[in-house]
């Protein structure tokens, strides 16, 4: 039956074609199905479950009693504690498993059927014919393909199927990667695209980039080119993996894995397959072919099974536990043996990372700097060559790289950072071609601010406003349109919406030090006098990874324990001043909010966090205790839940002692770090700023700061019980000697220490115990060793 007839049945007894309004409301996703329980299909099913959508997951049938064994085993991967695909383990119950032989007819109840099977055209076409025979009228079908154009996928299908078919290209891992490339076919109905775009943005939390039906779309087209460019340039210029990754990483605004580390992470054989898939679909004249040739050393690595992290044998790098801790080694391409890893980073790269000045990275005569220019210039020119043929909007290309590859800046933002005129001039000096779209920006910039609005250069040479869907706000964009009211090297304070203040941190990993907290204190005072409320938020990868350990280490090495005490006292006074301010304060954390960063969150009136926010007080892992009110705050929160000081003390002791973290707000709620029914979480981080501002304003009328009563502390008897528990756990080998020392100090805080049971303590009293415990532990050689190990290796030392 043609689509028009099928739609009409839903609305009337006539055969008239439904109106646009009828068709618009016809597409709604209440139930979904995913075919293919591999990495991508499983991830899509998991994210649908996270969104509260019942989902049917099908894969091939297996011989034996359990016909659904493939899909059943796949579900266990969603529960991997290292990278869980679900916000809560219970959400697995929202996924029903089956197989394509016995359960195919069940697809008839799905509103959206997502295909995520192997990238073979014949298999997909056969599957679509089977789907079309059972799907219900008005259901949508999409493919997760990253290489096959829609025109080929559906050319044998009837018009009704083509009208309700699109590509939804998710990125791996689906839960955590923000990009979704949505591709419309020539026949796809606009309302199908509208439904998918709205649902995937609001319910699944994705940043949507609508792409043309061109090879590789956008993310992989540019991203894989950049990776291959870096790889081939490094080999051609004779750079070691460490030298290349020292610049093609954080200094360039790219994830720290670099190119060789990324190959190891994904799998050297898999990355080689990805590159070859693009070779097969890109036109002959595409510049990608210049960086697609097989590299002899990598061919040998694949033959020898050196496939990266997954192989267990290593790849470009390998890491294992040595007698003195983690050992990292690098493959030498001459001897094909592993050697000691070189941790040296060029000074110019360090300065580029610290300042965010991209020009510093390409201005040196050092080989690594010439490598950086080679990779950057050719990647940015490649991106510019895609406008307008592949996509008319440079914003779409920038978004694809930021959301899909975690770049801090998109290609055109990078060119602006380098300076358009200087960039073009250097290309011309080297006798290189300048893409037409890049040439059109000469004397100008790709982005500029006019009348308080951020605008971008379009394909016709004019400027258009950067427009986002209603409710979508990125402070990284809004920041460009305003000047800070207060600023130092670590943080800034802005006016937002003319009635609110906003604090953002911008140090490395947004770690907190004296400058960070000094600005927060000033911002609280200023906002209390001039604004209706305050928001603490940033648009970086992480809200805050905690207190700056290097600064703490410096104080300890100088034995400046008075200075360390003063820092802790100032930190505590600042978060308490924020908590007691006459205006409401909302924290809006994304990414990691750990240690001192989470202590700031805990002292806000309300938390609006992202579904993937990771929260926790992890100080015990470096041999200290939360010293910014974190122990105090968790003790009060557990007491509010339990109404029993002893139970609250034990729960706080166990949680902080183990340095427990929560990988989602639902798990955080079980640990009293998220107040269910009061704090909120959103699936799309781009909606957090807007919601945080709304939440602040909703609290203004009748606002009164939180007031905390004193606590009757458990006292020395419970402190001894906790100390005994620690010793027994140490005897059984569950805890190290310094775990016991650290845990004893945590126990002292949550019980009140050497006091009678029922001794009354205030918040200030408990925070004084935090400071005492922190200073005591900071004077031990074991804590110094833990801090040094964390700074050098990025992992805890068990001593």
């Amino acid at each position: 039956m043609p689509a028009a007839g099928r739609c009409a049945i839903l609305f009337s007894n006539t055969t008239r074609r439904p109106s646009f309004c009828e068709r618009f409301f016809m597409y709604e996703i209440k139930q979904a199905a995913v075919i293919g329980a591999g990495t991508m299909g499983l991830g899509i099913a998991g994210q649908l479950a996270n969104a509260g959508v019942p989902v049917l997951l099908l894969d091939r049938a297996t011989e034996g009693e359990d016909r659904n064994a493939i899909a059943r085993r796949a579900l266990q991967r969603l529960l991997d504690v290292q990278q869980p695909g679900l916000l809560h383990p219970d959400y697995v119950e929202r996924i029903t498993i089956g197989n394509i032989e016995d359960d195919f007819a069940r697809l008839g109840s799905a509103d959206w059927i997502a295909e995520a099977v192997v990238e073979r055209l014949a298999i997909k076409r056969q599957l679509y014919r089977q789907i079309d025979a059972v799907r219900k009228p008005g259901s949508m079908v999409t493919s997760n393909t990253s290489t096959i154009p829609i025109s080929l996928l559906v050319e044998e299908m009837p018009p009704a199927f083509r009208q309700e078919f699109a590509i939804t290209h998710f990125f791996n891992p689906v839960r955590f990667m923000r990009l979704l490339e949505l591709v419309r076919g020539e026949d796809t109905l606009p309302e199908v695209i509208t439904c998918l775009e709205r649902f995937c943005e609001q319910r699944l939390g994705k940043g949507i980039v609508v792409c043309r039906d061109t090879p590789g779309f956008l993310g992989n087209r540019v991203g894989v080119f950049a990776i291959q460019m870096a790889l081939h340039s490094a080999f051609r210029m004779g750079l070691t993996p460490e030298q290349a990754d020292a610049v093609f990483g954080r200094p360039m605004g790219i994830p720290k894995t670099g190119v060789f580390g990324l190959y190891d992470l994904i799998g050297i054989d898999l990355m080689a397959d990805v590159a070859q898939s693009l070779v097969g679909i890109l036109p002959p004249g595409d510049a990608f072919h210049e960086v697609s040739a097989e590299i002899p050393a990598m061919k040998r690595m694949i033959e020898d099974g050196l496939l990266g992290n997954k192989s267990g044998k290593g790849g470009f790098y390998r890491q294992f536990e040595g007698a003195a801790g983690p050992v990292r080694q690098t493959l030498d391409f001459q001897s094909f043996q592993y050697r000691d890893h070189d941790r040296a980073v060029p000074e110019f790269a360090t300065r580029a990372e610290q300042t965010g000045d991209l020009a510093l990275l390409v201005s040196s005569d050092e080989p690594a700097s010439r490598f950086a220019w080679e990779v950057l210039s050719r990647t940015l020119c490649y991106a510019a060559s895609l406008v307008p043929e592949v996509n008319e909007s440079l914003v779409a290309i920038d978004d694809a790289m930021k959301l899909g590859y975690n770049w801090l800046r998109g290609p055109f933002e990078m060119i602006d950072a380098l300076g358009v005129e200087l960039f073009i001039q250097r290309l011309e000096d080297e006798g290189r071609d300048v893409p037409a779209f890049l040439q059109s920006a000469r004397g100008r910039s790709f982005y500029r601010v006019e009348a308080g609005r951020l605008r971008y250069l379009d394909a016709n040479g004019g400027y258009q406003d950067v427009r986002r869907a209603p409710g979508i706000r990125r402070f990284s964009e809004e920041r460009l349109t305003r000047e800070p009211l207060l600023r130092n090297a670590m943080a800034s304070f802005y006016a937002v919406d003319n009635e609110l203040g906003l604090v953002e941190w911008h140090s490395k990993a947004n770690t907190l030090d004296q400058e960070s907290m000094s600005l927060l204190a000033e911002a609280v005072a200023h906002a209390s006098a001039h604004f209706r409320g305050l928001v603490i938020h940033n648009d970086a990868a992480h809200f805050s990874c905690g207190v700056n350990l290097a600064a703490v280490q410096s104080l300890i090495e100088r034995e400046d324990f008075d200075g360390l005490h003063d820092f802790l006292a100032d930190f505590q006074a600042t978060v308490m001043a924020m908590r007691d301010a006459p205006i409401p304060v909302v924290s809006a954390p994304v990414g990691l909010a750990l240690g001192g960063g989470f202590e700031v969150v805990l002292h806000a009136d309300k938390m609006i966090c992202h579904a993937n926010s990771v929260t926790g007080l992890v100080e015990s892992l470096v041999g200290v205790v939360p010293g910014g009110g974190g122990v105090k705050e968790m003790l009060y929160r557990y007491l509010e839940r339990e109404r029993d000081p002893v139970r609250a003390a034990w729960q706080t002791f166990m949680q902080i002692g183990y340095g427990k973290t929560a990988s989602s707000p639902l798990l955080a709620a079980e640990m009293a770090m998220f107040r269910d029914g009061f704090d909120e979480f959103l699936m799309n981080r781009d909606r957090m700023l807007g919601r945080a501002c709304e939440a602040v304003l909703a609290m203004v009328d009748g606002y009164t700061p939180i007031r905390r009563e004193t606590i009757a502390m458990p006292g020395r008897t419970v402190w001894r019980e906790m100390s005994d528990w620690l010793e027994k756990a140490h005897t059984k080998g569950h805890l190290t000697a310094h775990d016991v020392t650290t845990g004893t100090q945590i126990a002292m805080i949550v019980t009140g220490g050497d006091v009678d049971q029922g001794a009354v303590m205030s918040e200030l009293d408990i925070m004084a115990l935090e400071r005492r415990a922190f200073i005591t532990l900071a004077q031990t050689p074991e804590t110094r060793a833990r801090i040094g190990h964390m700074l050098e290796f990025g992992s805890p030392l068990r001593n």
Side-chain angles (χ1 to χ4, degrees):
M1 182 180 292
R6 290 193 294 109
C7 292
I9 289 174
L10 297 178
F11 297 102
S12 72
N13 293 323
T14 70
T15 58
R16 71 176 178 84
R17 181 175 178 82
S19 67
F20 172 81
C21 183
E22 288 172 332
R23 297 199 316 271
F24 180 85
F25 288 106
M26 174 176 140
Y27 295 105
E28 184 179 7
I29 299 171
K30 295 182 178 179
Q31 295 188 69
V34 178
I35 306 176
T39 298
M40 295 307 300
L42 182 65
I44 295 167
Q47 193 66 356
L48 284 162
N50 287 334
V53 177
V55 57
L56 173 68
L57 177 64
L58 303 182
D59 207 293
R60 290 174 289 109
T62 54
E63 299 296 331
E65 294 184 4
D66 187 1
R67 303 269 289 169
N68 303 330
I70 294 176
R72 195 179 311 279
R73 286 195 299 268
L75 286 189
Q76 295 306 307
R77 300 201 303 274
L78 279 180
L79 303 175
D80 180 2
V81 295
Q82 297 300 317
Q83 194 174 70
L86 298 174
L87 296 177
H88 194 283
D90 290 351
Y91 282 10
V92 74
E93 297 174 4
R94 296 173 176 174
I95 304 175
T96 302
I97 61 171
N99 67 78
I100 57 176
E101 292 182 19
D102 305 328
D103 304 292
F104 207 82
R106 298 169 69 183
L107 295 173
S109 62
D111 304 303
W112 175 18
I113 303 168
E115 169 267 303
V117 302
V118 64
E119 292 282 80
R120 295 180 185 174
L121 182 59
I123 292 176
K124 290 179 186 287
R125 284 178 169 176
Q126 175 62 28
L127 183 60
Y128 298 156
R129 287 191 287 270
Q130 294 175 280
I131 291 172
D132 201 36
V134 300
R135 74 187 186 101
K136 69 180 181 180
S139 62
M140 297 171 289
V141 182
T142 69
S143 174
N144 188 62
T145 182
S146 61
T147 59
I148 307 175
I150 285 185
S151 55
L152 293 179
L153 289 173
V154 299
E155 68 176 357
E156 297 179 352
M157 298 303 295
F161 185 90
R162 296 201 300 268
Q163 287 175 344
E164 294 172 331
F165 185 89
I167 288 175
T168 47
H169 179 215
F170 291 86
F171 279 63
N172 184 43
V174 175
R175 174 184 165 187
F176 298 100
M177 295 305 294
R178 297 169 64 191
L179 179 63
L180 171 66
E181 292 182 320
L182 181 58
V183 186
R184 174 183 178 181
E186 184 177 340
D187 300 313
T188 311
L189 291 171
E191 48 271 37
V192 168
I193 296 297
T194 298
C195 175
L196 289 169
E197 186 172 9
R198 183 178 64 249
F199 177 85
C200 292
E201 184 266 297
Q202 295 181 11
R203 299 285 299 279
L204 301 188
K206 298 304 171 186
I208 309 298
V209 172
V210 179
C211 302
R212 291 180 177 176
D213 190 20
T214 58
F217 314 133
L218 284 181
N220 285 344
R221 184 81 177 264
V222 178
V224 178
F225 178 89
I227 294 167
Q228 289 295 111
M229 187 72 234
L231 187 74
H232 279 257
S233 295
F235 274 100
R236 187 178 65 255
M237 299 174 72
L239 269 63
T240 65
E242 299 101 319
Q243 290 171 328
D245 287 351
V247 294
F248 189 81
R250 282 175 171 165
M252 203 175 283
I254 289 171
K256 65 178 181 179
T257 50
V259 58
F260 290 96
L262 182 62
Y263 255 80
D264 278 355
L265 180 65
I266 296 176
I268 292 167
D269 54 340
L270 179 57
M271 277 300 301
D273 290 343
V274 169
Q276 287 308 302
S277 70
L278 285 172
V279 169
I281 62 174
L282 291 173
D286 194 275
F288 184 84
H289 298 294
E290 300 172 10
V291 294
S292 63
E294 187 175 54
I295 294 174
M298 292 177 59
K299 182 175 185 294
R300 179 176 172 182
M301 292 174 69
I302 293 173
E303 292 171 349
D304 291 352
L306 302 177
L307 305 179
N309 300 352
K310 67 179 181 180
S311 69
K313 298 173 64 177
F316 292 112
Y317 303 110
R318 72 175 181 182
Q319 186 165 313
F320 56 90
E321 281 296 322
V327 176
R328 195 176 193 200
Q329 296 180 324
T330 306
L331 184 65
D332 182 274
F333 300 129
Q334 303 302 317
S335 66
F336 239 72
Q337 300 295 316
Y338 284 95
R339 57 168 174 76
D340 290 342
H341 184 75
D342 182 3
R343 298 181 179 276
V345 176
E347 191 272 338
F348 70 86
T350 300
R351 286 192 294 117
E353 180 182 353
Q354 291 173 343
T355 63
D357 187 350
L358 206 57
L360 290 174
L361 201 61
V362 298
S363 301
S364 169
D365 289 331
E366 294 186 39
S369 182
R370 295 198 299 272
F371 163 78
W373 167 252
E374 173 81 2
V375 175
L376 263 182
S377 62
R378 295 196 180 276
T379 299
L380 302 183
C381 283
Y382 186 69
S385 73
L386 303 181
V387 181
E389 286 76 17
V390 173
N391 200 292
E392 292 183 352
S393 173
L394 65 88
V395 177
I397 297 175
D398 279 350
D399 279 353
M401 299 316 301
K402 290 187 290 186
L403 301 180
Y405 278 77
N406 286 331
W407 289 14
L408 292 181
R409 289 180 282 211
F412 297 97
E413 292 172 317
M414 286 185 174
I415 298 175
D416 278 351
L418 291 168
V420 174
E421 191 65 33
L422 293 175
F423 183 70
I424 293 174
Q425 188 61 56
R426 185 165 176 179
L427 293 175
E428 291 178 340
D429 290 345
E430 295 176 359
R432 291 165 56 182
D433 292 336
V434 179
F437 182 58
L438 175 56
Q439 192 70 259
S440 73
R442 188 154 212 163
R444 300 187 287 175
S445 59
F446 286 107
Y447 292 92
R448 71 183 186 191
V449 175
E450 291 182 339
R453 303 192 311 276
L454 182 62
R455 314 196 79 199
Y456 70 94
L457 184 67
D458 65 25
N460 297 317
Y463 282 90
Q464 301 288 332
D465 289 349
V466 175
R467 297 185 183 278
R468 301 294 181 189
I472 297 293
R473 296 179 65 176
R474 296 180 186 169
F475 192 68
S476 57
E477 294 174 350
E478 294 189 18
R479 183 198 312 115
L480 301 175
T481 67
R482 62 197 67 191
E483 291 293 327
L485 301 175
L486 301 169
R487 182 180 177 85
N488 62 29
M490 301 299 170
S492 298
F493 173 61
Y494 294 86
V496 178
D497 301 340
N498 298 319
E499 53 187 350
L500 301 175
L502 183 144
V503 170
E504 69 157 1
W505 292 304
H506 40 69
S507 56
K508 183 177 179 180
N510 287 328
T511 55
L512 307 179
D513 62 9
Q514 186 61 54
E515 285 191 83
S516 311
M517 302 310 292
S518 174
L519 188 131
L520 177 59
E522 290 184 68
V524 169
H526 188 101
S528 297
H530 302 285
F531 294 121
R532 302 181 70 194
L534 180 66
V535 174
I536 305 175
H537 172 71
N538 58 60
D539 201 14
H542 301 300
F543 178 77
S544 172
C545 293
V547 166
N548 185 333
L549 267 184
V552 172
Q553 183 188 51
S554 177
L555 289 167
I556 292 174
E557 288 178 345
R558 299 198 310 269
E559 298 190 355
D560 184 4
F561 297 110
D562 288 339
L564 183 56
H565 179 275
D566 290 345
F567 168 70
L568 296 173
D570 287 344
F571 194 112
Q572 292 176 343
T574 298
V575 294
M576 290 297 285
M578 181 186 80
R579 205 278 310 274
D580 295 337
I583 56 171
V585 178
V586 167
S587 61
V590 297
L592 301 180
L594 301 177
F598 190 55
E599 288 179 299
V600 174
V601 171
L602 286 170
H603 287 85
D605 292 290
K606 186 181 183 74
M607 174 170 63
I608 308 289
C609 66
H610 185 225
N612 294 334
S613 293
V614 177
T615 53
L617 299 169
V618 295
E619 286 84 351
S620 65
L621 302 181
V622 290
V624 293
V625 300
V631 183
K632 174 268 300 181
E633 190 61 27
M634 291 310 306
L635 183 62
Y636 269 95
R637 290 197 177 196
Y638 271 119
L639 183 59
E640 289 163 359
R641 175 185 292 187
E642 300 293 342
R643 303 295 177 184
D644 180 345
V646 174
R647 284 179 56 82
W650 271 101
Q651 289 178 313
T652 305
F653 165 71
M654 297 298 289
Q655 183 168 312
I656 294 178
Y658 279 111
K660 293 181 180 179
T661 60
S663 60
S664 78
L666 296 170
L667 297 175
E670 296 176 355
M671 293 185 272
M673 294 189 290
F674 180 92
R675 294 162 296 185
D676 203 11
F678 183 72
D679 293 329
E680 302 175 27
F681 74 90
L682 301 177
M683 295 292 285
N684 192 334
R685 61 176 285 167
D686 284 339
R687 291 185 171 272
M688 289 179 55
L689 175 57
R691 178 64 195 122
C693 292
E694 293 172 355
V696 171
L697 293 175
M699 291 190 289
V700 169
D701 291 342
Y703 174 76
T704 55
I706 297 171
R707 290 287 180 261
R708 284 271 171 70
E709 300 297 326
T710 55
I711 297 179
M713 304 298 287
R716 64 176 66 87
T717 300
V718 178
W719 186 20
R720 282 196 294 267
E721 291 173 359
M722 290 179 177
S723 298
D724 290 343
W725 182 92
L726 290 166
E727 291 294 346
K728 290 177 182 177
H730 175 49
T731 301
K732 294 176 181 178
H734 299 158
L735 298 177
T736 68
H738 199 53
D739 289 338
V740 174
T741 301
T742 305
T744 301
Q745 292 298 315
I746 296 170
M748 182 271 293
I749 302 168
V750 300
T751 60
D754 190 19
V755 297
D756 295 334
Q757 183 174 1
V760 173
M761 287 190 173
S762 68
E763 291 183 275
L764 296 179
D765 294 329
I766 299 170
M767 288 193 292
L769 296 179
E770 289 182 0
R771 298 196 301 274
R772 182 201 305 174
F774 196 109
I775 298 300
T776 298
L777 290 167
Q779 296 180 68
T780 65
E782 292 85 0
T783 287
R784 298 185 188 198
R786 285 194 178 191
I787 292 174
H789 190 278
M790 180 64 74
L791 288 171
E792 184 173 359
F793 298 104
S795 60
L797 173 66
R798 299 300 308 281
N799 60 351

